[in-house]
Amino acid sequence: MPPSSAVKERREKYTEVLRAIQDLDEFTTQEVRLHCVEAKASFITRLLKQLHREGILQVRDGSEHETYLWTGLKASFIDEDWISRQLDGDQVTQSPLEERPRERLLKLGAGNLRTSELLAILIRSGRKGESAVQAGQRVANRFSERLDSLRSLSPIELKKISGAVSEVAYCQIMAGIELGRRVAESLQQHGLRQDKLNCTAAAIEYCTRHFSRLVVDACQEEFHIVTLDTKLQPISIHQITVGTLDSSLVHPREVFRPAIREAASSILLVHNHPSGDPTPSSQDRAVTERLKRAGELIGIQVIDHIIVASRGCVSLAEN
């Protein structure tokens, strides 16, 4: 069957099912099937499930058979536009196989894909006039300088950038961002011993990698310690306090307890400045000196105190 005939046949099936449910308040797949001649039960099932995934339909709780109801999106739902997106939107399939994002990921690995291609995979399908690849490129261009800002957008805000970003695509993008953050956090916890913090530059580079969340996400000051073994290799990271840094909050007992438990030889102090300015305050210096003295008494050295901020990192030992 020529491609044009196949597209025409699919359009007729979509139209038949959507017209069947337009005037129904609630319905099952079996009830919709009674109103359709061309569309088979499997096609109807897939279509209704897709409308449900996109938030256009919802499933009534407690129904014996899966019963669908329209959501508030019915008023703005235009079936012709929706059908066109199903038929024409995913223009990725029209590109050569070796150029498609999913195929490139399988061949080259995710790390070798452009940001726009990763976004296209998460967006999955486009709409009429804009493919998933084009949508990914549009979003990537908007956030080329601050990709981290993408995670703070609402579904409406992201859809304004590209109409191809459906509610489902938005959820997939946000889930991908969060999963990436958790993987990075896991690597941080389990890959600690690969580093050796034997100089200020190494300590700053380590904090830049392992405490990036404090720069991007944290709205308050957080105080952490990194416990170190005799070779100055990190053992683990511990959050001590959240809130304005002062001597009353950062008590030596709380700071050195995990270090003693892990038989650490020394510790690295780390905290953030949400303002973005890493310049040490007089309070930062006072806390550092107090903890250094406490460490000398119990035999656990404080090797440095690193302040992380959006405008860079500062070492109090060097400063």
Side-chain angles (χ1 to χ4, degrees), residues 13 48 60-61 84 134 142 176 206 209 259 268 287 291 317:
K13 290 179 181 178
L48 296 181
R60 181 157 63 84
D61 294 332
S84 294
Q134 291 169 326
R142 177 66 64 89
Y206 173 86
R209 285 187 289 114
L268 172 69
V287 167
L291 294 175

Side-chain angles (χ1 to χ4, degrees), residues 82 103 252:
W82 188 87
E103 282 69 18

Side-chain angles (χ1 to χ4, degrees), residues 17-28 31-32 35 57 68-70 74:
V17 176
L18 291 177
R19 286 180 179 171
I21 65 176
Q22 264 181 349
D23 299 323
L24 300 174
D25 292 326
E26 58 179 68
F27 42 85
T28 63
E31 289 169 341
V32 176
H35 294 81
L57 297 178
Y68 293 96
L69 299 84
W70 289 96
K74 180 183 180 181

Side-chain angles (χ1 to χ4, degrees), residues 34-101:
L34 296 175
H35 294 81
C36 297
V37 176
E38 297 296 330
K40 295 181 179 179
S42 58
F43 179 86
I44 295 170
T45 299
R46 289 197 302 272
L47 191 154
L48 296 181
K49 287 185 179 297
Q50 183 170 348
L51 290 173
H52 178 234
R53 287 196 302 272
E54 294 182 12
I56 298 165
L57 297 178
Q58 60 182 333
V59 176
R60 181 157 63 84
D61 294 332
S63 54
E64 183 178 350
H65 301 288
E66 197 166 52
T67 302
Y68 293 96
L69 299 84
W70 289 96
T71 67
L73 295 177
K74 180 183 180 181
S76 59
F77 175 67
I78 302 175
D79 55 0
E80 284 301 320
D81 289 348
W82 188 87
I83 292 171
S84 294
R85 288 200 299 274
Q86 311 316 305
L87 298 175
D88 309 323
D90 193 1
Q91 298 169 26
V92 174
T93 57
Q94 300 174 20
S95 60
L97 190 66
E98 67 276 7
E99 295 179 11
R100 300 176 194 175

